[in-house]
Amino acid sequence: MGKKRVMLPAEELDLSTVKYEPEVIDAPHLTGLTFRLFVKILEAPLIGAAIISYMKKKNRMIEFLRSTVIPEPPMYKPEFPPQDPEPGTILLDEDGNPEDRVELALKCLPDYDSASSWNGDLSQFRYWKIRDYVYGYRSKLVTPSMVAERIITVIEEFNHKKPPAPLLVSFDAEEVRKQAAASTKRFEEGKPLSILDGIFMAIKDDIGCYPYIMKGATTWKDETNSNNEDAVCVSRLRSCGVIFVGKANMHELGMGTTGNNPNYGTTRNPHDPERYTGGSSSGPAAIVASGICSAALGTDGGGSVRIPSSLCGVVGLKTTYGRTDLRGSLCGSGTVEIIGPIASSVEDVTLVYAAILGSNPMDRNILKPSPPCLPNFPSIESLNAMGSLRLGKYTPWFNDVHSTDISDKCEDILNQLSKTHGCEVVEIVIPELHEMRTAHLVSIGSAMLNGLNPDCEDGKGTELNYDSRTSMAIFRSFTASDYVAAQCLRRRLMYHHMEIFKKVDVIVTPTTGMTAPKIPPSALKYGETDIQVTGYLMRFVIAANLLGFPAISVPIGYDKQGLPIGLQLMGRPWGEASILRLASVVEELCGSKKRPVSFYDVLKTS
């Protein structure tokens, strides 16, 4: 008999027979000169192919992609069944002006007294909200230009650290001053463009933002890409008066989960500078967690918004696939990526999300999205919707973490949601998690390879970081049949999850399986490969990317080392309002936050 494995059709799978298998990854952890030598061997025609083939077999990828008969037809992009309107929500016009959507979002928020925040006790740490900035501007307590000078001082300080640990890879102080002066003038004239006018944001370096050229945090992408125009999402924010401080650091081309970047220097975690921020949106999460910017934009193809948000103790929203327009970003042709906001609070994420949402017209024709909406946070209907929420929990997966600090803290929040708000926790089973990881890797890897092939053929491949070159060697080993098999798995996994969403409203997990890992000093110059760490960081985030679901990471406390822990809420397609509402309640349950070691009060300096 051969090794062929035949899967039952997804609808015939008996979930009572599914047993959870802890993820075991068989791959070396390498840094420094040993890592460089390994990459050279990996790129050698014969021995490199043999090593990759061996690793793929050890990690069962060959079994899932080539030795298995998958009865489902391929799904090349997420396909969603029609969704019912979410209760207790207010509809937004995705074809309307971003300023109008932000104004409507502001009306959805709970009452908040910014005056008392300004006059309150600063001894207890908290992040300033966007509404605090606007109150300060309108009350003439501070101006955007004054805040800009404080931010410029901090950014320049970061740029001179030894070893380098920049938050931004592209920065122009005069450009920031020019934007801030225009905003200051609008406030002086009593004509701010929106609640976001004068709000400082950083943009990840794989998203277009004038006048900077996208580099994807490489050393060479600006040579092959001369476009310095705003991405669609950035243009929407600019029309609201947002001030852009520059292009934020990231894991090169998004091909990593730690944020390590030898090209410019590795951004450090604001809670512990000896630890990673998580990636690939390392700079956006760190600049928000440090208090320098109210919000930032990142991209999320494999947890790249949620992982660093969790590790840095801030909020990160991954929207439904197609909810935000990818035009003008390096990931515009992918099938798992989105552009999403990072901020210090659910409220601020909501305001930024309202500004940037709106599908690409081509995606809208295919995906047929439900109209975008936001929770009307204070309404009785919205509060009643909380009490009827069913929260799905796959316990053995939920508990498969590096430290029980994480699962215990997440479990405590679920208990509080049940006790305080009447939410029901429902035990679920999610089958074929190993297959899902493989399908995601093939899907995102093939898209990255397709986008980079022209540059690699032009000789730029050898200018990539060593960890990027490792990823590229693996991606090149995938065949056309591997890609089709991965898309067959995608349809199968979509069926499993949509069946789960008939029983629950939200799937709840830790965001990451570990808190911020330490940075090996030997990894700063040449990078590193540590697939075990990657596995822990990506353990719970992949379904939202492969299947296109919305998900949010909310900080819920700290481990015994004082490192942030995040809770992930994953909802039905187009269900951003439900997860934002639930995230706001979780945030309220968690209370005060711990001041990061690296924090700058740029609004109200002592």
Side-chain angles (χ1 to χ4, degrees):
M1 295 291 290
K3 297 180 180 178
K4 184 169 73 172
R5 169 180 173 236
V6 180
M7 300 179 101
L8 285 172
E11 63 269 21
E12 295 180 17
L13 182 65
D14 182 358
L15 294 184
S16 67
T17 65
V18 174
K19 304 299 181 187
Y20 181 74
E21 298 179 41
E23 183 179 9
V24 179
I25 299 175
D26 192 347
H29 175 208
L30 302 171
T31 62
L33 295 174
T34 307
F35 184 30
R36 291 180 65 193
L37 177 61
F38 174 76
V39 174
K40 296 288 186 183
I41 295 171
L42 207 62
E43 292 176 335
L46 295 179
I47 189 171
I51 291 172
I52 291 173
S53 179
Y54 172 78
M55 290 171 61
K56 287 165 70 174
K57 284 180 182 177
K58 289 283 286 183
N59 291 288
R60 301 176 63 190
M61 295 178 66
I62 301 295
E63 174 189 338
F64 299 145
L65 298 171
R66 300 181 190 177
S67 302
T68 300
V69 177
I70 308 166
E72 285 73 23
M75 177 190 286
Y76 293 103
K77 279 189 173 184
E79 298 172 12
F80 307 125
Q83 300 296 305
D84 294 331
E86 297 178 87
T89 58
I90 293 178
L91 293 181
L92 301 176
D93 180 6
E94 65 177 320
D95 293 318
N97 293 325
E99 307 96 292
D100 294 339
R101 290 197 299 270
V102 171
E103 184 63 29
L104 193 54
L106 183 62
K107 294 177 181 176
C108 294
L109 299 179
D111 290 337
Y112 178 67
D113 184 3
S114 291
S116 63
S117 295
W118 269 81
N119 298 324
D121 181 11
L122 291 180
S123 60
Q124 184 176 3
F125 174 75
R126 63 180 181 79
Y127 284 101
W128 293 107
K129 292 185 177 183
I130 286 172
R131 287 195 274 185
D132 293 324
Y133 278 81
V134 175
Y135 176 83
Y137 297 155
R138 288 176 175 164
S139 303
K140 296 182 170 52
L141 299 170
V142 69
T143 67
S145 289
M146 292 167 62
V147 176
E149 291 304 321
R150 297 166 186 169
I151 290 174
I152 289 167
T153 299
V154 174
I155 295 298
E156 290 178 342
E157 174 188 324
F158 267 90
N159 288 343
H160 291 96
K161 284 184 180 290
K162 299 293 181 183
L167 298 169
L168 303 174
V169 297
S170 296
F171 169 68
D172 182 338
E174 290 310 310
E175 173 64 22
V176 176
R177 289 187 174 106
K178 183 173 75 173
Q179 294 177 70
S183 179
T184 297
K185 184 178 180 182
R186 290 192 292 270
F187 275 100
E188 288 172 349
E189 295 172 349
K191 298 177 181 178
L193 298 175
S194 78
I195 188 76
L196 296 180
D197 203 337
I199 300 304
F200 293 81
M201 288 185 60
I203 305 298
K204 189 180 179 183
D205 196 32
D206 60 354
I207 304 170
C209 182
Y210 179 84
Y212 310 103
I213 295 176
M214 277 188 297
K215 299 191 288 285
T218 66
T219 58
W220 53 268
K221 195 70 176 171
D222 53 335
E223 300 170 18
T224 62
N225 170 34
S226 59
N227 187 357
N228 65 352
E229 296 178 357
D230 284 345
V232 172
C233 287
V234 172
S235 176
R236 290 170 179 166
L237 290 169
R238 198 182 292 275
S239 72
C240 294
V242 167
I243 299 170
F244 302 107
V245 300
K247 302 302 292 297
N249 202 355
M250 59 181 284
H251 207 113
E252 185 182 65
L253 294 172
M255 285 197 277
T257 57
T258 61
N260 181 293
N261 191 321
N263 295 334
Y264 298 94
T266 296
T267 303
R268 306 305 183 99
N269 194 308
H271 290 270
D272 183 345
E274 301 305 312
R275 294 179 182 269
Y276 282 122
T277 56
S280 62
S281 305
S282 53
I287 205 166
V288 170
S290 298
I292 300 165
C293 287
S294 297
L297 283 191
T299 55
D300 191 317
S304 290
V305 160
R306 290 160 290 152
I307 291 170
S309 295
S310 177
L311 268 53
C312 291
V314 291
V315 181
L317 174 66
K318 188 252 168 219
T319 63
T320 306
Y321 176 80
R323 180 65 90 191
T324 52
D325 196 324
L326 294 176
R327 285 178 294 174
S329 69
L330 290 181
C331 56
S333 61
T335 66
V336 298
E337 296 91 341
I338 60 91
I339 294 174
I342 296 172
S344 60
S345 66
V346 175
E347 173 182 312
D348 288 356
V349 157
T350 301
L351 292 171
V352 176
Y353 165 65
I356 67 172
L357 66 81
S359 303
N360 181 328
M362 188 178 297
D363 283 336
R364 201 179 308 176
N365 291 334
I366 299 169
L367 296 169
K368 297 178 174 53
S370 300
C373 55
L374 290 176
N376 187 9
F377 290 100
S379 72
I380 297 298
E381 187 182 4
S382 184
L383 293 173
N384 289 340
M386 271 299 306
S388 62
L389 274 184
R390 297 160 299 167
L391 311 179
K393 178 195 176 197
Y394 185 21
T395 296
W397 187 42
F398 188 99
N399 291 336
D400 189 7
V401 290
H402 189 263
S403 165
T404 55
D405 289 357
I406 297 171
S407 51
D408 289 347
K409 187 69 69 173
C410 293
E411 183 75 42
D412 179 56
I413 291 298
L414 293 187
N415 291 336
Q416 290 187 58
L417 286 169
S418 297
K419 187 181 298 183
T420 308
H421 294 280
C423 300
E424 180 187 1
V425 178
V426 179
E427 187 63 32
I428 59 173
V429 174
I430 305 177
E432 300 167 6
L433 290 168
H434 290 299
E435 288 88 338
M436 182 162 62
R437 285 185 280 269
T438 299
H440 173 265
L441 178 63
V442 174
S443 299
I444 192 171
S446 299
M448 284 184 169
L449 187 65
N450 179 61
L452 286 170
N453 262 338
D455 289 329
C456 291
E457 290 296 317
D458 207 25
K460 294 298 185 184
T462 56
E463 296 182 36
L464 291 168
N465 285 341
Y466 287 102
D467 57 346
S468 298
R469 287 165 64 176
T470 301
S471 297
M472 291 291 284
I474 295 170
F475 299 160
R476 289 191 186 97
S477 74
F478 297 140
T479 65
S481 66
D482 291 339
Y483 185 76
V484 174
Q487 308 321 302
C488 293
L489 288 171
R490 194 200 299 240
R491 185 175 298 278
R492 183 180 180 86
L493 290 155
M494 181 69 82
Y495 174 85
H496 292 321
H497 280 75
M498 293 312 298
E499 286 296 298
I500 291 168
F501 278 125
K502 291 177 182 177
K503 304 170 186 173
V504 302
D505 302 293
V506 177
I507 297 173
V508 184
T509 68
T511 306
T512 58
M514 69 185 304
T515 52
K518 285 190 174 181
I519 304 173
S522 57
L524 292 175
K525 187 173 183 181
Y526 298 118
E528 69 172 320
T529 178
D530 191 340
I531 306 300
Q532 283 85 4
V533 163
T534 297
Y536 274 117
L537 294 178
M538 296 183 71
R539 179 149 299 161
F540 304 105
V541 297
I542 291 171
N545 294 108
L546 183 68
L547 307 179
F549 301 139
I552 191 168
S553 178
V554 194
I556 57 169
Y558 306 88
D559 68 7
K560 291 183 178 66
Q561 297 171 295
L563 300 171
I565 295 170
L567 181 75
Q568 177 180 249
L569 312 171
M570 183 170 72
R572 294 187 181 94
W574 317 116
E576 285 84 2
S578 292
I579 61 172
L580 284 168
R581 180 193 292 120
L582 181 56
S584 178
V585 170
V586 168
E587 183 178 62
E588 188 176 341
L589 288 172
C590 293
S592 60
K593 296 182 180 180
K594 183 167 69 74
R595 182 187 181 100
V597 173
S598 175
F599 178 79
Y600 301 85
D601 185 346
V602 297
L603 181 60
K604 187 179 180 182
T605 54
S606 56

Short mmCIF file of all heavy atoms in Angstrom, two decimals, residues 553-573:
data_model
loop_
_atom_site.label_atom_id
_atom_site.label_comp_id
_atom_site.label_asym_id
_atom_site.label_seq_id
_atom_site.Cartn_x
_atom_site.Cartn_y
_atom_site.Cartn_z
N SER A 553 -6.78 42.19 18.90
CA SER A 553 -6.01 41.87 20.10
C SER A 553 -6.19 42.99 21.11
O SER A 553 -6.00 44.17 20.79
CB SER A 553 -4.52 41.71 19.76
OG SER A 553 -3.77 41.44 20.94
N VAL A 554 -6.56 42.60 22.34
CA VAL A 554 -6.77 43.56 23.42
C VAL A 554 -5.84 43.22 24.57
O VAL A 554 -5.78 42.06 25.00
CB VAL A 554 -8.23 43.50 23.94
CG1 VAL A 554 -8.53 44.71 24.81
CG2 VAL A 554 -9.21 43.39 22.81
N PRO A 555 -5.10 44.19 25.11
CA PRO A 555 -4.24 43.90 26.27
C PRO A 555 -5.08 43.61 27.50
O PRO A 555 -6.05 44.33 27.79
CB PRO A 555 -3.41 45.18 26.43
CG PRO A 555 -4.20 46.25 25.76
CD PRO A 555 -4.98 45.59 24.66
N ILE A 556 -4.72 42.53 28.24
CA ILE A 556 -5.54 42.15 29.40
C ILE A 556 -4.73 42.03 30.68
O ILE A 556 -5.26 41.61 31.72
CB ILE A 556 -6.28 40.82 29.14
CG1 ILE A 556 -5.28 39.70 28.80
CG2 ILE A 556 -7.32 40.98 28.05
CD1 ILE A 556 -5.90 38.31 28.80
N GLY A 557 -3.45 42.38 30.65
CA GLY A 557 -2.63 42.27 31.85
C GLY A 557 -1.21 41.87 31.51
O GLY A 557 -0.76 42.05 30.37
N TYR A 558 -0.52 41.30 32.50
CA TYR A 558 0.92 41.06 32.37
C TYR A 558 1.27 39.71 32.97
O TYR A 558 0.57 39.20 33.86
CB TYR A 558 1.70 42.18 33.07
CG TYR A 558 1.28 43.55 32.59
CD1 TYR A 558 0.22 44.22 33.19
CD2 TYR A 558 1.92 44.15 31.51
CE1 TYR A 558 -0.19 45.46 32.73
CE2 TYR A 558 1.51 45.40 31.05
CZ TYR A 558 0.45 46.04 31.66
OH TYR A 558 0.04 47.27 31.19
N ASP A 559 2.37 39.14 32.46
CA ASP A 559 2.86 37.90 33.07
C ASP A 559 3.72 38.23 34.29
O ASP A 559 3.84 39.40 34.68
CB ASP A 559 3.60 37.04 32.04
CG ASP A 559 4.92 37.67 31.57
OD1 ASP A 559 5.35 38.70 32.14
OD2 ASP A 559 5.54 37.11 30.65
N LYS A 560 4.32 37.23 34.89
CA LYS A 560 5.09 37.44 36.12
C LYS A 560 6.33 38.30 35.89
O LYS A 560 6.91 38.83 36.84
CB LYS A 560 5.49 36.09 36.73
CG LYS A 560 4.33 35.28 37.29
CD LYS A 560 4.80 34.00 37.94
CE LYS A 560 3.64 33.20 38.54
NZ LYS A 560 2.72 32.69 37.52
N GLN A 561 6.75 38.43 34.63
CA GLN A 561 7.90 39.27 34.30
C GLN A 561 7.49 40.69 33.93
O GLN A 561 8.33 41.50 33.55
CB GLN A 561 8.70 38.65 33.15
CG GLN A 561 9.30 37.29 33.50
CD GLN A 561 9.89 36.61 32.28
OE1 GLN A 561 9.18 36.25 31.34
NE2 GLN A 561 11.19 36.45 32.27
N GLY A 562 6.20 40.98 34.03
CA GLY A 562 5.70 42.31 33.70
C GLY A 562 5.52 42.55 32.22
O GLY A 562 5.39 43.70 31.78
N LEU A 563 5.47 41.48 31.41
CA LEU A 563 5.31 41.61 29.96
C LEU A 563 3.85 41.49 29.57
O LEU A 563 3.11 40.67 30.14
CB LEU A 563 6.13 40.53 29.25
CG LEU A 563 7.64 40.57 29.53
CD1 LEU A 563 8.32 39.33 28.95
CD2 LEU A 563 8.26 41.84 28.94
N PRO A 564 3.38 42.30 28.62
CA PRO A 564 1.96 42.33 28.26
C PRO A 564 1.46 41.00 27.70
O PRO A 564 2.17 40.27 27.02
CB PRO A 564 1.88 43.43 27.20
CG PRO A 564 3.07 44.28 27.44
CD PRO A 564 4.15 43.35 27.91
N ILE A 565 0.18 40.74 27.98
CA ILE A 565 -0.55 39.58 27.45
C ILE A 565 -1.75 40.11 26.68
O ILE A 565 -2.44 41.03 27.15
CB ILE A 565 -1.02 38.66 28.59
CG1 ILE A 565 0.18 38.05 29.32
CG2 ILE A 565 -1.95 37.56 28.06
CD1 ILE A 565 -0.20 37.32 30.60
N GLY A 566 -2.01 39.53 25.51
CA GLY A 566 -3.15 39.96 24.71
C GLY A 566 -4.19 38.86 24.59
O GLY A 566 -3.86 37.67 24.58
N LEU A 567 -5.45 39.27 24.51
CA LEU A 567 -6.56 38.36 24.24
C LEU A 567 -7.05 38.62 22.83
O LEU A 567 -7.25 39.77 22.43
CB LEU A 567 -7.70 38.61 25.22
CG LEU A 567 -8.93 37.71 25.09
CD1 LEU A 567 -8.65 36.31 25.64
CD2 LEU A 567 -10.14 38.32 25.81
N GLN A 568 -7.23 37.55 22.03
CA GLN A 568 -7.72 37.70 20.67
C GLN A 568 -9.20 37.33 20.58
O GLN A 568 -9.63 36.31 21.11
CB GLN A 568 -6.94 36.82 19.70
CG GLN A 568 -7.48 36.91 18.26
CD GLN A 568 -6.73 36.04 17.29
OE1 GLN A 568 -6.03 36.54 16.43
NE2 GLN A 568 -6.87 34.73 17.40
N LEU A 569 -9.95 38.20 19.91
CA LEU A 569 -11.36 37.96 19.63
C LEU A 569 -11.53 37.88 18.12
O LEU A 569 -11.20 38.83 17.41
CB LEU A 569 -12.21 39.11 20.18
CG LEU A 569 -11.92 39.54 21.62
CD1 LEU A 569 -12.68 40.82 21.95
CD2 LEU A 569 -12.27 38.43 22.60
N MET A 570 -11.99 36.75 17.61
CA MET A 570 -12.17 36.57 16.17
C MET A 570 -13.65 36.40 15.87
O MET A 570 -14.33 35.57 16.48
CB MET A 570 -11.38 35.35 15.68
CG MET A 570 -11.46 35.15 14.17
SD MET A 570 -10.30 33.89 13.56
CE MET A 570 -11.11 32.40 14.18
N GLY A 571 -14.16 37.20 14.93
CA GLY A 571 -15.58 37.22 14.65
C GLY A 571 -15.94 36.68 13.28
O GLY A 571 -15.08 36.30 12.48
N ARG A 572 -17.23 36.69 13.00
CA ARG A 572 -17.74 36.28 11.69
C ARG A 572 -17.28 37.27 10.61
O ARG A 572 -16.90 38.40 10.93
CB ARG A 572 -19.26 36.25 11.70
CG ARG A 572 -19.89 35.22 12.60
CD ARG A 572 -21.40 35.19 12.37
NE ARG A 572 -22.06 34.23 13.24
CZ ARG A 572 -22.59 34.53 14.40
NH1 ARG A 572 -22.52 35.77 14.86
NH2 ARG A 572 -23.18 33.60 15.14
N PRO A 573 -17.36 36.88 9.34
CA PRO A 573 -17.04 37.81 8.26
C PRO A 573 -17.85 39.11 8.39
O PRO A 573 -19.05 39.06 8.69
CB PRO A 573 -17.43 37.05 6.99
CG PRO A 573 -17.40 35.61 7.37
CD PRO A 573 -17.77 35.55 8.83
#
